[in-house]
Amino acid sequence: MPANSNFQDAIRQAQSSALVGPNVVRYALPYVGGGMVLTAFGTLGGLSLINSNSGLFMPLFWVALIAELILFFMAQGAASKGENSTALPLLAGFSLLTGFTLSGLVSLALGVAGIGSIGIAAFATGITFVLASTFGSRMSDSVGQALTQVVTLGLFGLLIAMVVQLIGGFFAPGMFHFGGFELMIAGFGTVLFTGMAFVDFYTMPRTYRDDQYLAGALGMYLTYINLFIFILRLIIALQGGGRRD
């Protein structure tokens, strides 16, 4: 009887740690890197437009944001089905537009904290990737599943806080867009997406098949882009948020 119980425990453990796509992370990483490069080009294009014709930037920002959302859902749908030839150009366009819409925040960071803030955010994001790639895939099922649940709950909390900030900003922008509230959101978002970076390396092989590597790449790309964004927001908030009293 004890032997039978041990055998059943072993089966449950094997099932819980079963890998759906053992090579999906390796296949996805080049596309994550490529997306980051395209995002950098999109950001440089946005910064160039801000410097040369700032009045044109905001109308194009809203057009790019809408197009970005459309491309995201189209790319996600194709990638999740393993239709990689269809998903790849959609992801490339999405990455470029993400960089363009990100350029306003980068411009603010440059004005508030200088070019060093971009270097710090990029360096911190890179260090997080190195640590996550080293330790994330080696997490035990108990640690990986617990961290996944914590990060998922934290993501819901962050979304609620950002909705509150968006609505509150219409009535009291000084309270919700600057100071303690923004610092809290930026700090929490930084911690949350740092944790998500580790979760990605644990969950991807257990979620996506090897032929769904672009779907995994999209999720990982979003993790690191958001980590970069929240680190920048944290730096800006620590510098006073760019507020001019």
Side-chain angles (χ1 to χ4, degrees), residues 39 42-51 54 57-58 60-62 64 68 96-112 117-118 228-229 232-233 236 241-242:
T39 300
T43 302
L44 290 174
L47 290 174
S48 177
L49 181 61
I50 290 172
N51 292 329
S54 59
F57 174 75
M58 283 311 297
L60 288 180
F61 169 87
W62 291 111
E68 179 185 351
L96 280 169
L97 290 176
T98 298
F100 183 84
T101 56
L102 182 60
S103 58
L105 178 65
V106 173
S107 177
L108 177 61
L110 289 172
V112 172
S117 61
I118 310 301
F228 178 80
I229 288 172
L232 269 190
R233 288 180 61 170
I236 292 170

Side-chain angles (χ1 to χ4, degrees), residues 91-167:
L91 288 172
F94 171 74
S95 299
L96 280 169
L97 290 176
T98 298
F100 183 84
T101 56
L102 182 60
S103 58
L105 178 65
V106 173
S107 177
L108 177 61
L110 289 172
V112 172
I115 195 170
S117 61
I118 310 301
I120 291 172
F123 179 76
T125 302
I127 289 295
T128 302
F129 170 80
V130 172
L131 294 175
S133 62
T134 302
F135 299 106
S137 59
R138 300 178 183 177
M139 289 190 296
S140 66
D141 287 327
S142 58
V143 173
Q145 291 169 8
L147 184 58
T148 300
Q149 292 175 353
V150 170
V151 166
T152 302
L153 290 174
L155 184 59
F156 282 114
L158 180 63
L159 289 174
I160 292 171
M162 292 179 69
V163 169
V164 171
Q165 184 183 43
L166 179 64
I167 296 173

Side-chain angles (χ1 to χ4, degrees), residues 16 41 83-84 114 139 156 168 183 200-201 203 206 211 222 245:
S16 65
F41 280 116
E83 299 172 354
N84 297 318
M139 289 190 296
F156 282 114
L183 184 61
D200 281 345
F201 280 93
T203 58
R206 294 164 173 82
D211 66 329
L222 290 174
D245 295 323

Side-chain angles (χ1 to χ4, degrees), residues 17-24 203-210 212:
S17 60
L19 301 183
V20 177
N23 301 305
V24 69
T203 58
M204 276 179 60
R206 294 164 173 82
T207 304
Y208 300 109
R209 303 186 308 269
D210 284 347
Q212 295 175 306

Side-chain angles (χ1 to χ4, degrees), residues 203-240:
T203 58
M204 276 179 60
R206 294 164 173 82
T207 304
Y208 300 109
R209 303 186 308 269
D210 284 347
D211 66 329
Q212 295 175 306
Y213 55 87
L214 286 183
L218 176 59
M220 187 174 286
Y221 166 85
L222 290 174
T223 294
Y224 288 101
I225 284 296
N226 277 289
L227 177 59
F228 178 80
I229 288 172
F230 278 100
I231 292 174
L232 269 190
R233 288 180 61 170
L234 181 60
I235 293 172
I236 292 170
L238 290 171
Q239 294 292 326

